[in-house]
Amino acid sequence: MNVGKRLYQYALLYKKTIILALIMLALAVGTELTGPFIAKKMIDNHILGIEEPWVMVENAGDDTVKYKGKNYVRAEYHEGDASEQPTVRILQVKLDYYFIDEPVAFDGERTIENGKMIIEKGEQRATYEVDELTNQQLLAFYQPEVKRLIYLSALYLGLMVIASFFTYGQSYLLQQSANRIIQRMRTDVFGQIQRLPVNYFDNLPAGKVVSRITNDTEAIRELYVTVLAQFFTGIIYIVGILTALFFLDVRLAAICSLIIPILIVWVFMYRKFASKYNHLIRSRLSDLNAMINESIQGMTIIQAFRRQKQTTNEFEKINEEYFRYRNKLLNLEAIMTHNLVNLLRNVAFVTLIWYFGGASLTVGAAVSVGVLYAFVDYLNRMFQPVTGIVTQLANLEQARVSGERVFRLLDREGEDVSNTTLPRYQGNVMFDDVTFAYKEEDYVLKNISFEAKQGETVALVGHTGSGKSSIMNLLFRFYDIEHGKIMIDGQDIQHMSRQDLRKHMGIVLQDPFLFTGTIESNVSLDDPSITREQVEKALKDVGAEPFINQLPKGFDEPVVEKGSTLSAGQRQLISFARALAYNPAILILDEATANIDTETEAIIQDALDVLKKGRTTFIIAHRLSTIKSADQILVLDHGRIVERGNHDELMEKKGKYYQMYQLQQGMKQSRTAV
């Protein structure tokens, strides 16, 4: 399973939005990177440009400066041919500026002695008469540059405003597409959960499944929102800055290019060590969610048996492991992120100082102050994306590990929802030599064979673990058999989709599950084919109307999670109504009356006598008095049918059923006597 490829495929679902966002990001970065070039132009051409040659002109203009009654203009601003005209210069020595009324043959190290400027370059030496400029005169020579500096400043500000719009747009579009991707991924994961067989959840706590849908997908969201933007920005920044550096100085740019292989090795080494910790962290986080979920579900038992301290200790143990692995990852990040970035930055600046040191910083050197400023600015900017990329390595690795966990769930073999519609079957059920094991070779059902005809009531009895519920699990195809056949109306259920099979089956469990909603929605399960009238009729038929009429909102009374505000008998009545509202051809009652008081049981028994007509009913019961009227009773022992027949026939045999019945009657009489 290639996680990166799968994540890329999800991104392709919204590729237009992502591509547009990345284009806007590239434009924002490109616009921002023009800053040092503009600053270089401002320094070299306009701030230090005052030292360029000036020519004398007759007429005053926008770019002319009046000095001692004469008009001067920079040679590059002169409209005519300035090459043949005599030039004057303004040169700086320390903090003072001097006017030289003649051309300067060469530039070099400048000194002032006895009111004269001496320029030396190697063995060359020249002396010039100079006039020191006052501050007012100096500002006059700078005056033509002010409007150009304002223009360039306005240009830079405008580019930054444009870049901010592009940055906002890319951030909004990337987050929107990331949220869409995660929405789609969560929908896929939740849909996959509906497709998975029940046995998948036997050994997987609910909290771990919740962690896949929430925590893991949220970590993946960070990949599309933050990591993708940071890596793409960093790559554009680094490429753009290196390109600019090559324009400024090839040798230093080549040295700075070494950051690329270093960064690649860096990422590889970090992932190698961080992968182990991230797997353990995500696993412990799932364990934490599972334990929290289990503790909340079992809070009544925990408090009733005073297990708060033990449960807290168990939680703290997992929490401590999570903390320990988090700390190890934190140490790794501390060593391999900002520390290494600072080291590389310092090495780069030492190289810059060494390269530009000594004669390179002297007047007349090949490198201008503007180039030096641009180099320093670009180096600073280059390490910003490097820091950003390195900082996001943790999120990248977490997203990769989370993606691996999510895709492992998505890759589990499931069954698609069938679009076919199977007509309501009659309900003739036949088990033909069925053998089944939840675990290999540990058979819980052995050579089970029986037939239940339409309209019959079949009761399954036996001690705990004898295989009663397993028969119902196989009939519902919660699990598939290894040997034998199960047929409904002569059709092998293995050749029927689970959806079609269960469409005409109803089940009532010993511990009914109610969803958050209303009584009405818990009966209809929001199925549009079940009308309000059908819901109310089903509730009346099972005898639930008396207690519903006492509720403030009647059929629309809110039901909280698991129906905890209702009694066990009331929840069971709603569960009965739910099964009956769907008008099943086959009805399964799995210990359905075990948690109901005698009065409620009598109400349900009366309703069942009417509702069992025309449909095949399977009853799993420990209380044998509730199945005396069953057409067929199957007695199971260690996965085998040891007796079969109706109540009277089995009592005459005086076998296992007779012993169980006599035992229960004796216990009942003992309780009555007491």
Side-chain angles (χ1 to χ4, degrees), residues 255-269:
I255 295 173
C256 293
S257 298
L258 293 175
I259 191 67
I260 296 176
I262 291 174
L263 191 59
I264 293 173
V265 174
W266 197 337
V267 172
F268 175 78
M269 293 298 293

Side-chain angles (χ1 to χ4, degrees), residues 70-340:
K70 298 179 181 179
N71 295 318
Y72 295 93
V73 65
R74 277 181 58 178
E76 62 180 286
Y77 300 153
H78 185 53
E79 295 180 355
D81 187 5
S83 61
E84 297 181 358
Q85 299 188 29
T87 60
V88 299
R89 298 290 295 275
I90 298 170
L91 299 180
Q92 180 184 8
V93 179
K94 296 183 179 179
L95 297 178
D96 300 318
Y97 286 82
Y98 299 88
F99 182 88
I100 303 176
D101 193 15
E102 60 179 303
V104 175
F106 60 88
D107 202 356
E109 187 175 351
R110 308 165 187 171
T111 56
I112 299 294
E113 293 181 7
N114 300 322
K116 295 182 179 182
M117 181 179 292
I118 301 172
I119 300 178
E120 294 178 312
K121 183 179 181 182
E123 297 180 355
Q124 294 179 301
R125 178 186 175 92
T127 304
Y128 300 94
E129 296 287 340
V130 295
D131 294 326
E132 185 176 354
L133 297 177
T134 65
N135 289 339
Q136 188 174 359
Q137 290 171 331
L138 180 63
L139 288 174
F141 278 100
Y142 268 116
Q143 195 61 40
E145 310 302 327
V146 172
K147 61 182 179 182
R148 292 176 171 85
L149 289 171
I150 292 175
Y151 168 76
L152 289 174
S153 298
L155 175 63
Y156 181 74
L157 179 62
L159 290 173
M160 292 304 99
V161 171
I162 293 172
S164 67
F165 278 108
F166 284 136
T167 302
Y168 167 78
Q170 66 85 16
S171 177
Y172 176 81
L173 291 176
L174 266 184
Q175 294 215 33
Q176 183 188 54
S177 57
N179 288 333
R180 287 289 187 188
I181 291 170
I182 298 307
Q183 180 187 35
R184 175 66 177 270
M185 186 176 291
R186 283 176 174 158
T187 301
D188 290 347
V189 174
F190 192 79
Q192 172 71 354
I193 291 172
Q194 313 303 314
R195 298 174 63 249
L196 292 174
V198 173
N199 60 1
Y200 176 78
F201 303 97
D202 286 346
N203 299 310
L204 187 67
K208 291 194 174 185
V209 179
V210 172
S211 183
R212 303 279 176 94
I213 302 175
T214 54
N215 297 333
D216 287 333
T217 53
E218 189 63 24
I220 296 172
R221 191 185 78 86
E222 287 299 311
L223 170 70
Y224 293 110
V225 174
T226 307
V227 179
L228 178 63
Q230 192 65 61
F231 270 70
F232 194 79
T233 304
I235 291 171
I236 293 177
Y237 255 110
I238 293 172
V239 172
I241 289 171
L242 286 177
T243 303
L245 291 179
F246 272 105
F247 276 110
L248 293 172
D249 189 280
V250 175
R251 284 173 292 180
L252 190 56
I255 295 173
C256 293
S257 298
L258 293 175
I259 191 67
I260 296 176
I262 291 174
L263 191 59
I264 293 173
V265 174
W266 197 337
V267 172
F268 175 78
M269 293 298 293
Y270 177 86
R271 287 188 59 186
K272 179 180 179 181
F273 291 105
S275 177
K276 172 186 174 183
Y277 295 138
N278 275 298
H279 273 95
L280 292 169
I281 287 169
R282 304 313 293 185
S283 176
R284 292 302 176 273
L285 185 59
S286 292
D287 292 340
L288 284 174
N289 286 330
M291 186 165 187
I292 291 170
N293 180 73
E294 186 179 63
S295 298
I296 293 173
Q297 297 289 340
M299 189 57 67
T300 304
I301 302 299
I302 290 173
Q303 293 186 1
F305 286 89
R306 302 178 303 282
R307 291 278 302 171
Q308 294 96 323
K309 184 176 181 180
Q310 292 88 335
T311 304
T312 302
N313 290 339
E314 291 173 8
F315 178 84
E316 188 56 36
K317 180 181 178 182
I318 301 174
N319 200 22
E320 177 63 28
E321 290 180 356
Y322 179 78
F323 169 78
R324 187 168 69 252
Y325 292 128
R326 269 289 184 189
N327 255 10
K328 289 183 178 180
L329 185 62
L330 182 63
N331 290 333
L332 179 65
E333 291 172 2
I335 294 172
M336 297 194 66
T337 54
H338 294 91
N339 281 340
L340 283 181

Side-chain angles (χ1 to χ4, degrees), residues 111 180 406 485 488 531 647:
T111 56
R180 287 289 187 188
V406 169
K485 287 184 179 181
I488 296 179
T531 64
H647 175 75

Side-chain angles (χ1 to χ4, degrees), residues 460-497:
L460 304 174
V461 299
H463 298 297
T464 300
S466 59
K468 304 183 299 297
S469 295
S470 296
I471 290 177
M472 296 302 97
N473 287 337
L474 296 180
L475 184 59
F476 263 93
R477 279 197 69 189
F478 291 142
Y479 302 87
D480 286 329
I481 59 176
E482 287 87 359
H483 306 287
K485 287 184 179 181
I486 302 175
M487 291 181 284
I488 296 179
D489 295 345
Q491 184 177 355
D492 192 338
I493 65 171
Q494 296 293 120
H495 301 149
M496 302 166 62
S497 72

Side-chain angles (χ1 to χ4, degrees), residues 4 8-9 11 28 42-43 48 65 117 134 179-180 228 243 296 309 361 425 449 458 527 547 572 600 643 651:
Y8 173 72
Q9 289 173 346
M42 293 173 71
I43 294 172
L48 299 180
V65 178
M117 181 179 292
T134 65
N179 288 333
R180 287 289 187 188
L228 178 63
T243 303
I296 293 173
K309 184 176 181 180
L361 293 177
Y425 40 73
S449 297
V458 178
D527 189 333
F547 91 83
Q572 196 64 283
T600 305
E643 293 180 7
M651 289 298 290

